[in-house]
Amino acid sequence: FFSRAALEMLPYIDFKPDIIHANDWQTALVPIYFSIFYADKEFYRGMKTVFTIHNIQYQGKYGKELVEDVLGIPEPSVPLLEYGDCINMVKGAVECANRVTTVSPTYAQEILDPWFAYGLESILQERSWKLSGILNGIDVHVYNPETDEYLYANYTADDPDGKAEDKAELQQRLNLAQEPEAPLVGMVTRMVAAKGLDLLEQAFDRMMQQTNLQFVILGSGDWEYENFFKEMQSRYAGRVCACFGFIPELSHKIYAASDLFLMPSRTEPCGLAQMIALRYGAVPVVRETGGLKDTVTDSGGGKGNGFTFRDYSSDDMLGAVKRAVKGYADRDGWKILMRRGMECDFSWGHSANEYIRLYRSLLKNGK
């Protein structure tokens, strides 16, 4: 009803947009309704629709009985939404929208593959001409180590000394050993399988036994993973701390205190945590997937801003972590790597310009 109302109200408020941009399955009916009921009406003529997929796992699947009674879709248009034995909101939006975007260029390519597409690969392959990826951005005013009020000490890329105080204070708060030379690995994440936590389960003991790192994680999710990290905290007292829930001030403190930031995701459409980590001088260790691949490049050649691994393997993840720990021991080189990351631009200004280019291209080309 919201999607239909958003279109129906436009003449009543005398607002005639050039572009109507809908996001995810919750508003997928907007381009569908527009195509079926409004595109040929005089007031709406010339308007274009864009649909963004943030995570293709969530598609808005429902039984076919909803089509006419609830959604009001006429019988000739039902095939737009049909996919398999149900109706699929995202499928319908992909069919109807003038352009389809995802939240990173790599993810736009990945979802053409059955491994990532959750059953929608065929329709996306057929409509790949209208598909592109634009990275999300972060609020660089909220996430700014120079002014962040949540931090114990502020710092900048030019003067990063405050980061050491943030680390010491967080170690004290979380009952971690006061060891400034031990690299602190942070995670702020949903505790679900897609975030690669099964890799951590497989490699955690080796990671702790083969390095001198400390580890802190903040998040909540599946019982299996919460229980695992509670057990690791008990097993490695003074080196591991697991914090559960959504605690904004603590998340900021973890970004600021961490030397490394781990994201071994199975899939990551865009990812914001690695961008925030870079801004706070926490060097990311990530799997090369989705937005992680587009924002983090391996520093092995002396030019990257983090450490990456390609295969979804606990051995490969552990190898990347060990390379990062070895890099941390080179204090002069580490300062250069930190600064390189802190100077990356992941502001919304860059992303907004990409969307403006997309909108202008759509209006110019007329389809």
Side-chain angles (χ1 to χ4, degrees), residues 211-228:
T211 73
N212 67 330
L213 64 78
Q214 296 179 350
F215 180 87
V216 58
I217 185 169
L218 170 65
S220 60
D222 294 348
W223 176 88
E224 171 192 349
Y225 299 120
E226 290 191 8
N227 207 44
F228 170 77

Side-chain angles (χ1 to χ4, degrees), residues 6-303:
L7 294 168
E8 193 71 27
M9 70 183 287
L10 294 179
Y12 292 95
I13 62 173
D14 195 27
F15 177 55
K16 193 169 184 177
D18 295 313
I19 305 284
I20 302 173
H21 194 151
N23 291 268
D24 272 343
W25 75 265
Q26 292 89 344
T27 58
L29 281 169
V30 171
I32 297 170
Y33 282 146
F34 183 85
S35 178
I36 296 171
F37 298 115
Y38 297 95
D40 291 331
K41 291 184 177 181
E42 181 61 32
F43 180 86
Y44 298 87
R45 196 161 290 136
M47 294 183 192
K48 307 298 179 184
T49 57
V50 176
F51 179 68
T52 294
I53 300 170
H54 293 260
N55 190 332
I56 202 168
Q57 182 177 354
Y58 308 106
Q59 299 175 7
K61 296 180 180 180
Y62 292 95
K64 293 182 180 180
E65 65 274 7
L66 265 69
V67 175
E68 290 191 49
D69 292 343
V70 177
L71 303 182
I73 303 293
E75 187 175 349
S77 299
V78 170
L80 290 172
L81 287 84
E82 284 183 327
Y83 205 63
D85 58 355
C86 64
I87 60 168
N88 187 308
M89 303 292 189
V90 168
K91 184 263 185 181
V94 170
E95 289 274 26
C96 294
N98 297 107
R99 290 286 187 276
V100 177
T101 71
T102 67
V103 289
S104 70
T106 294
Y107 193 57
Q109 295 303 309
E110 288 177 340
I111 61 174
L112 301 176
D113 187 303
W115 172 259
F116 296 95
Y118 289 89
L120 283 182
E121 63 276 0
S122 61
I123 184 64
L124 288 165
Q125 290 166 6
E126 291 171 8
R127 301 290 183 267
S128 61
W129 58 269
K130 65 165 81 172
L131 178 65
S132 62
I134 297 174
L135 273 172
N136 284 336
I138 60 172
D139 189 327
V140 295
H141 300 292
V142 171
Y143 296 107
N144 184 354
E146 185 175 6
T147 59
D148 192 335
E149 295 180 355
Y150 286 136
L151 305 191
Y152 296 110
N154 295 112
Y155 57 94
T156 67
D158 291 326
D159 182 12
D161 292 346
K163 189 171 176 66
E165 182 179 342
D166 286 310
K167 179 178 177 178
E169 292 288 347
L170 189 69
Q171 286 174 322
Q172 183 176 14
R173 171 175 170 174
L174 301 183
N175 295 316
L176 298 173
Q178 297 286 294
E179 296 178 1
E181 297 307 313
L184 179 60
V185 177
M187 292 186 73
V188 178
T189 184
R190 290 184 297 118
M191 295 183 183
V192 295
K195 298 301 181 179
L197 299 187
D198 55 326
L199 300 187
L200 267 175
E201 283 185 315
Q202 296 165 26
F204 203 89
D205 284 322
R206 287 179 290 156
M207 183 176 73
M208 299 305 294
Q209 293 164 8
Q210 295 174 18
T211 73
N212 67 330
L213 64 78
Q214 296 179 350
F215 180 87
V216 58
I217 185 169
L218 170 65
S220 60
D222 294 348
W223 176 88
E224 171 192 349
Y225 299 120
E226 290 191 8
N227 207 44
F228 170 77
F229 288 114
K230 288 176 184 176
E231 183 181 339
M232 293 302 101
Q233 179 175 283
S234 298
R235 184 178 301 176
Y236 298 102
R239 293 183 65 195
V240 173
C241 183
C243 307
F244 302 103
F246 176 69
I247 311 171
E249 61 88 14
L250 182 56
S251 71
H252 283 240
K253 288 180 171 68
I254 291 172
Y255 286 120
S258 296
D259 301 298
L260 300 170
F261 197 86
L262 182 59
M263 294 183 71
S265 303
R266 180 183 300 168
T267 64
E268 194 69 62
C270 177
L272 300 179
Q274 81 279 10
M275 302 181 196
I276 300 169
L278 285 163
R279 183 137 172 89
Y280 282 76
V283 177
V285 180
V286 307
R287 180 167 171 263
E288 296 173 11
T289 185
L292 299 177
K293 184 175 181 180
D294 294 322
T295 53
V296 181
T297 53
D298 196 88
S299 61
K303 294 182 179 180

